[in-house]
mmCIF file of all heavy atoms in Angstrom:
data_model
loop_
_atom_site.group_PDB
_atom_site.id
_atom_site.type_symbol
_atom_site.label_atom_id
_atom_site.label_comp_id
_atom_site.label_asym_id
_atom_site.label_seq_id
_atom_site.Cartn_x
_atom_site.Cartn_y
_atom_site.Cartn_z
ATOM 1 N N VAL A 649 130.315 118.779 95.197
ATOM 2 C CA VAL A 649 130.530 118.446 93.801
ATOM 3 C C VAL A 649 129.418 119.029 92.933
ATOM 4 O O VAL A 649 129.624 119.530 91.814
ATOM 5 C CB VAL A 649 130.621 116.941 93.629
ATOM 6 C CG1 VAL A 649 130.606 116.530 92.111
ATOM 7 C CG2 VAL A 649 131.866 116.343 94.291
ATOM 8 N N TYR A 650 128.181 118.977 93.437
ATOM 9 C CA TYR A 650 127.040 119.552 92.789
ATOM 10 C C TYR A 650 126.355 120.538 93.707
ATOM 11 O O TYR A 650 126.319 120.392 94.944
ATOM 12 C CB TYR A 650 126.031 118.462 92.352
ATOM 13 C CG TYR A 650 126.670 117.476 91.373
ATOM 14 C CD1 TYR A 650 126.892 116.169 91.753
ATOM 15 C CD2 TYR A 650 127.015 117.887 90.117
ATOM 16 C CE1 TYR A 650 127.468 115.273 90.850
ATOM 17 C CE2 TYR A 650 127.585 117.011 89.190
ATOM 18 C CZ TYR A 650 127.846 115.688 89.590
ATOM 19 O OH TYR A 650 128.438 114.833 88.716
ATOM 20 N N ALA A 651 125.840 121.591 93.094
ATOM 21 C CA ALA A 651 125.257 122.704 93.895
ATOM 22 C C ALA A 651 124.001 122.373 94.566
ATOM 23 O O ALA A 651 123.658 122.955 95.607
ATOM 24 C CB ALA A 651 125.035 123.932 92.970
ATOM 25 N N ASN A 652 123.223 121.404 93.999
ATOM 26 C CA ASN A 652 121.916 121.090 94.540
ATOM 27 C C ASN A 652 121.518 119.681 94.097
ATOM 28 O O ASN A 652 122.189 119.036 93.258
ATOM 29 C CB ASN A 652 120.865 122.100 94.195
ATOM 30 C CG ASN A 652 120.787 122.316 92.720
ATOM 31 O OD1 ASN A 652 120.623 121.385 91.886
ATOM 32 N ND2 ASN A 652 120.958 123.577 92.286
ATOM 33 N N TYR A 653 120.415 119.198 94.583
ATOM 34 C CA TYR A 653 119.968 117.832 94.243
ATOM 35 C C TYR A 653 119.488 117.698 92.831
ATOM 36 O O TYR A 653 119.666 116.612 92.179
ATOM 37 C CB TYR A 653 118.895 117.363 95.244
ATOM 38 C CG TYR A 653 119.419 117.011 96.588
ATOM 39 C CD1 TYR A 653 119.405 117.868 97.670
ATOM 40 C CD2 TYR A 653 120.055 115.753 96.783
ATOM 41 C CE1 TYR A 653 119.904 117.549 98.898
ATOM 42 C CE2 TYR A 653 120.610 115.426 97.987
ATOM 43 C CZ TYR A 653 120.539 116.304 99.077
ATOM 44 O OH TYR A 653 121.098 115.961 100.257
ATOM 45 N N ILE A 654 118.911 118.707 92.310
ATOM 46 C CA ILE A 654 118.479 118.666 90.883
ATOM 47 C C ILE A 654 119.680 118.415 89.949
ATOM 48 O O ILE A 654 119.621 117.524 89.108
ATOM 49 C CB ILE A 654 117.725 119.975 90.490
ATOM 50 C CG1 ILE A 654 116.399 120.073 91.280
ATOM 51 C CG2 ILE A 654 117.481 119.995 88.975
ATOM 52 C CD1 ILE A 654 115.690 121.385 91.046
ATOM 53 N N GLU A 655 120.744 119.211 90.167
ATOM 54 C CA GLU A 655 121.917 119.040 89.373
ATOM 55 C C GLU A 655 122.555 117.652 89.567
ATOM 56 O O GLU A 655 122.939 116.977 88.573
ATOM 57 C CB GLU A 655 122.936 120.082 89.719
ATOM 58 C CG GLU A 655 124.183 120.073 88.902
ATOM 59 C CD GLU A 655 125.225 121.133 89.251
ATOM 60 O OE1 GLU A 655 124.886 121.993 90.102
ATOM 61 O OE2 GLU A 655 126.356 121.080 88.705
ATOM 62 N N ALA A 656 122.586 117.171 90.816
ATOM 63 C CA ALA A 656 123.202 115.908 91.088
ATOM 64 C C ALA A 656 122.407 114.769 90.441
ATOM 65 O O ALA A 656 123.006 113.848 89.867
ATOM 66 C CB ALA A 656 123.267 115.681 92.601
ATOM 67 N N ILE A 657 121.109 114.796 90.515
ATOM 68 C CA ILE A 657 120.261 113.779 89.915
ATOM 69 C C ILE A 657 120.457 113.736 88.410
ATOM 70 O O ILE A 657 120.622 112.703 87.749
ATOM 71 C CB ILE A 657 118.783 113.981 90.227
ATOM 72 C CG1 ILE A 657 118.558 113.654 91.758
ATOM 73 C CG2 ILE A 657 117.891 113.067 89.377
ATOM 74 C CD1 ILE A 657 117.171 114.072 92.224
ATOM 75 N N GLN A 658 120.489 114.932 87.787
ATOM 76 C CA GLN A 658 120.649 115.040 86.355
ATOM 77 C C GLN A 658 121.971 114.443 85.898
ATOM 78 O O GLN A 658 122.109 113.873 84.785
ATOM 79 C CB GLN A 658 120.510 116.477 85.860
ATOM 80 C CG GLN A 658 119.114 117.026 86.013
ATOM 81 C CD GLN A 658 119.019 118.500 85.774
ATOM 82 O OE1 GLN A 658 120.043 119.261 85.878
ATOM 83 N NE2 GLN A 658 117.875 118.996 85.404
ATOM 84 N N GLN A 659 123.008 114.587 86.734
ATOM 85 C CA GLN A 659 124.308 114.075 86.332
ATOM 86 C C GLN A 659 124.585 112.628 86.699
ATOM 87 O O GLN A 659 125.415 111.958 86.063
ATOM 88 C CB GLN A 659 125.409 114.970 87.020
ATOM 89 C CG GLN A 659 125.433 116.394 86.537
ATOM 90 C CD GLN A 659 125.766 116.523 85.057
ATOM 91 O OE1 GLN A 659 126.632 115.840 84.554
ATOM 92 N NE2 GLN A 659 125.003 117.387 84.384
ATOM 93 N N MET A 660 123.862 112.123 87.719
ATOM 94 C CA MET A 660 124.193 110.812 88.274
ATOM 95 C C MET A 660 123.177 109.736 88.054
ATOM 96 O O MET A 660 123.475 108.555 88.180
ATOM 97 C CB MET A 660 124.520 110.951 89.760
ATOM 98 C CG MET A 660 125.676 111.867 90.071
ATOM 99 S SD MET A 660 126.027 112.033 91.865
ATOM 100 C CE MET A 660 126.795 110.440 92.228
ATOM 101 N N VAL A 661 121.917 110.091 87.758
ATOM 102 C CA VAL A 661 120.867 109.063 87.544
ATOM 103 C C VAL A 661 120.602 108.932 86.037
ATOM 104 O O VAL A 661 120.300 109.918 85.412
ATOM 105 C CB VAL A 661 119.583 109.456 88.284
ATOM 106 C CG1 VAL A 661 118.495 108.401 88.003
ATOM 107 C CG2 VAL A 661 119.811 109.575 89.783
ATOM 108 N N HIS A 662 120.738 107.749 85.533
ATOM 109 C CA HIS A 662 120.624 107.503 84.077
ATOM 110 C C HIS A 662 119.701 106.370 83.758
ATOM 111 O O HIS A 662 119.913 105.238 84.155
ATOM 112 C CB HIS A 662 122.035 107.192 83.511
ATOM 113 C CG HIS A 662 123.072 108.138 83.879
ATOM 114 N ND1 HIS A 662 123.134 109.432 83.380
ATOM 115 C CD2 HIS A 662 124.115 108.049 84.758
ATOM 116 C CE1 HIS A 662 124.172 110.068 83.880
ATOM 117 N NE2 HIS A 662 124.778 109.292 84.777
ATOM 118 N N PRO A 663 118.540 106.630 83.077
ATOM 119 C CA PRO A 663 117.664 105.547 82.664
ATOM 120 C C PRO A 663 118.385 104.603 81.719
ATOM 121 O O PRO A 663 119.215 105.016 80.885
ATOM 122 C CB PRO A 663 116.507 106.333 81.925
ATOM 123 C CG PRO A 663 116.613 107.718 82.485
ATOM 124 C CD PRO A 663 118.040 107.984 82.736
ATOM 125 N N GLN A 664 118.050 103.330 81.807
ATOM 126 C CA GLN A 664 118.684 102.366 80.954
ATOM 127 C C GLN A 664 117.710 101.915 79.848
ATOM 128 O O GLN A 664 118.047 101.913 78.684
ATOM 129 C CB GLN A 664 119.133 101.139 81.755
ATOM 130 C CG GLN A 664 119.726 99.986 80.944
ATOM 131 C CD GLN A 664 120.295 98.896 81.761
ATOM 132 O OE1 GLN A 664 121.312 99.106 82.447
ATOM 133 N NE2 GLN A 664 119.608 97.721 81.776
ATOM 134 N N ASP A 665 116.512 101.436 80.208
ATOM 135 C CA ASP A 665 115.556 101.015 79.206
ATOM 136 C C ASP A 665 114.151 101.121 79.795
ATOM 137 O O ASP A 665 113.982 101.273 80.986
ATOM 138 C CB ASP A 665 115.818 99.578 78.696
ATOM 139 C CG ASP A 665 116.113 98.583 79.839
ATOM 140 O OD1 ASP A 665 115.709 98.859 80.946
ATOM 141 O OD2 ASP A 665 116.706 97.549 79.577
ATOM 142 N N THR A 666 113.168 101.052 78.924
ATOM 143 C CA THR A 666 111.744 101.114 79.301
ATOM 144 C C THR A 666 110.964 99.984 78.677
ATOM 145 O O THR A 666 111.072 99.729 77.491
ATOM 146 C CB THR A 666 111.159 102.492 78.892
ATOM 147 O OG1 THR A 666 111.903 103.534 79.500
ATOM 148 C CG2 THR A 666 109.692 102.580 79.289
ATOM 149 N N PHE A 667 110.213 99.313 79.439
ATOM 150 C CA PHE A 667 109.316 98.221 79.004
ATOM 151 C C PHE A 667 107.932 98.760 78.724
ATOM 152 O O PHE A 667 107.275 99.317 79.651
ATOM 153 C CB PHE A 667 109.281 97.093 80.025
ATOM 154 C CG PHE A 667 110.561 96.352 80.215
ATOM 155 C CD1 PHE A 667 111.665 96.917 80.913
ATOM 156 C CD2 PHE A 667 110.771 95.110 79.656
ATOM 157 C CE1 PHE A 667 112.814 96.272 81.071
ATOM 158 C CE2 PHE A 667 111.916 94.435 79.787
ATOM 159 C CZ PHE A 667 113.011 95.019 80.455
ATOM 160 N N GLN A 668 107.475 98.673 77.493
ATOM 161 C CA GLN A 668 106.146 99.199 77.098
ATOM 162 C C GLN A 668 105.101 98.098 77.314
ATOM 163 O O GLN A 668 105.346 96.923 77.030
ATOM 164 C CB GLN A 668 106.156 99.656 75.653
ATOM 165 C CG GLN A 668 107.074 100.824 75.365
ATOM 166 C CD GLN A 668 106.707 102.094 76.016
ATOM 167 O OE1 GLN A 668 105.524 102.249 76.414
ATOM 168 N NE2 GLN A 668 107.629 103.010 76.195
#
Side-chain angles (χ1 to χ4, degrees):
V649 171
Y650 298 111
N652 53 55
Y653 284 100
I654 293 176
E655 182 182 354
I657 290 170
Q658 290 172 338
Q659 295 297 318
M660 298 180 74
V661 178
H662 308 289
Q664 177 173 291
D665 47 20
T666 300
F667 292 76
Q668 297 294 338

